[in-house]
Amino acid sequence: MKLHKKILLGSLLCTALVSCSNDKDTSSSNNLQSLAALKSVPLADIPKGFNGTQMCKDVYAPGTDPRGAVIRSTKWPNGSVITVGLYGGSTKVRNKVMQYAKEWSNHANITFNFVTTGTPQIRVTFTQGAGSYSYLGTQALNIPSNEETMNFGWFNDNTSDAEFSRTVIHEFGHALGMIHEHQHPLTSIPWDKNKVYTYYAGYPNYWSKSDVDNNLFAKYSTTQTQYSAYDTQSIMHYSVSSDLTTNGFSVGNNTVLSATDKQFIASVYPF
């Protein structure tokens, strides 16, 4: 996958090193032979410090302004059946991805149809060390058919259900056009900016001041987004350490859809 324009967003609490399984069983190989070959993300394209960390990366189609890549312009037609291909991973990992991706369909008029032939609209790879990411909504349709549109970079057969739930639901939320909740138009996280700049200047991010400004402090405007009330419990919210805020404000690792997530996605894709 080409690094067109990536804003790398990491969990503010979780930077633990992880390992990924290279297990690709026989059934997986047989299925993949009927799908078009994909270009896996080159290891050289993984920014310094991001290999081996549990990071979600924002990715944008070529020529897209990140502040314009929002849910209004990336929504799928209501009632869409979106085809998804899984390229790699063990049987258990693939089954867990299918299981948790479908959580969205319980609350939205949208269906993820997992296929093993043809050219799926969403193409999921399991490149270890490359982090987890997804193009926003219908931007996936503009990506060359031999490139992935989503990746899970740390799953293996020992991954917990809570981690599968947290990451899969989050990335498929992006695939439906949802933004990161900490960039919600109405958010007012009391960041201690000097501490944030210092923290992200070190391992594993090595971000400049402008990187931090763009990745953490920038917000979408109310005119760009279809949005609900700011929700600290949202599956789309990354954890926020109390060490990086001025008044002890923090957000933990959300692992399931919140009540607001369910109401919001039902309003975006109503039955």
Side-chain angles (χ1 to χ4, degrees), residues 211-257:
D211 288 334
V212 175
D213 289 338
N214 289 330
N215 296 345
L216 295 178
F217 302 149
K219 296 188 290 186
Y220 293 85
S221 74
T222 56
T223 59
Q224 289 175 311
T225 59
Q226 180 174 341
Y227 62 96
S228 60
Y230 171 60
D231 178 21
T232 60
Q233 302 301 308
S234 173
I235 194 69
M236 303 310 295
H237 205 309
Y238 266 77
S239 57
V240 177
S241 170
S242 60
D243 291 338
L244 299 180
T245 59
T246 60
N247 63 357
F249 174 88
S250 64
V251 176
N253 279 320
N254 300 328
T255 61
V256 297
L257 290 170

Side-chain angles (χ1 to χ4, degrees), residues 48-223:
K48 181 180 179 181
F50 279 87
N51 54 308
T53 57
Q54 293 187 358
M55 296 288 181
C56 173
K57 310 173 187 179
D58 275 0
V59 291
Y60 301 100
T64 301
D65 178 353
R67 298 277 70 77
V70 295
I71 198 167
R72 285 193 187 279
S73 60
T74 61
K75 284 172 54 178
W76 297 85
N78 194 40
S80 290
V81 176
I82 304 168
T83 55
V84 184
L86 303 178
Y87 298 78
S90 69
T91 297
K92 177 179 178 179
V93 167
R94 293 194 307 277
N95 285 341
K96 290 296 182 182
V97 169
M98 289 187 283
Q99 173 187 340
Y100 287 108
K102 292 175 181 178
E103 285 292 310
W104 289 108
S105 297
N106 294 329
H107 309 282
N109 187 14
I110 208 86
T111 301
F112 292 117
N113 180 27
F114 290 85
V115 300
T116 57
T117 58
T119 304
Q121 294 163 303
I122 294 176
R123 299 173 294 281
V124 182
T125 51
F126 298 86
T127 303
Q128 61 179 322
S132 293
Y133 53 84
S134 173
Y135 283 97
L136 287 179
T138 55
Q139 284 193 345
L141 301 178
N142 300 322
I143 305 306
S145 61
N146 65 339
E147 295 182 12
E148 86 287 359
T149 67
M150 184 184 296
N151 188 72
F152 294 110
W154 55 78
F155 287 166
N156 59 45
D157 284 355
N158 295 318
T159 300
S160 67
D161 271 17
E163 182 60 21
F164 277 123
S165 177
R166 180 183 78 92
T167 305
V168 172
I169 299 175
H170 181 100
E171 297 307 337
F172 275 87
H174 285 317
L176 291 179
M178 296 188 73
I179 63 173
H180 277 123
E181 189 72 6
H182 74 262
Q183 292 182 292
H184 187 286
L186 303 183
T187 188
S188 56
I189 295 174
W191 297 109
D192 187 326
K193 291 192 174 183
N194 287 332
K195 288 184 179 179
V196 175
Y197 289 136
T198 300
Y199 178 85
Y200 278 93
Y203 177 86
N205 304 290
Y206 307 110
W207 282 351
S208 66
K209 184 176 181 291
S210 62
D211 288 334
V212 175
D213 289 338
N214 289 330
N215 296 345
L216 295 178
F217 302 149
K219 296 188 290 186
Y220 293 85
S221 74
T222 56
T223 59

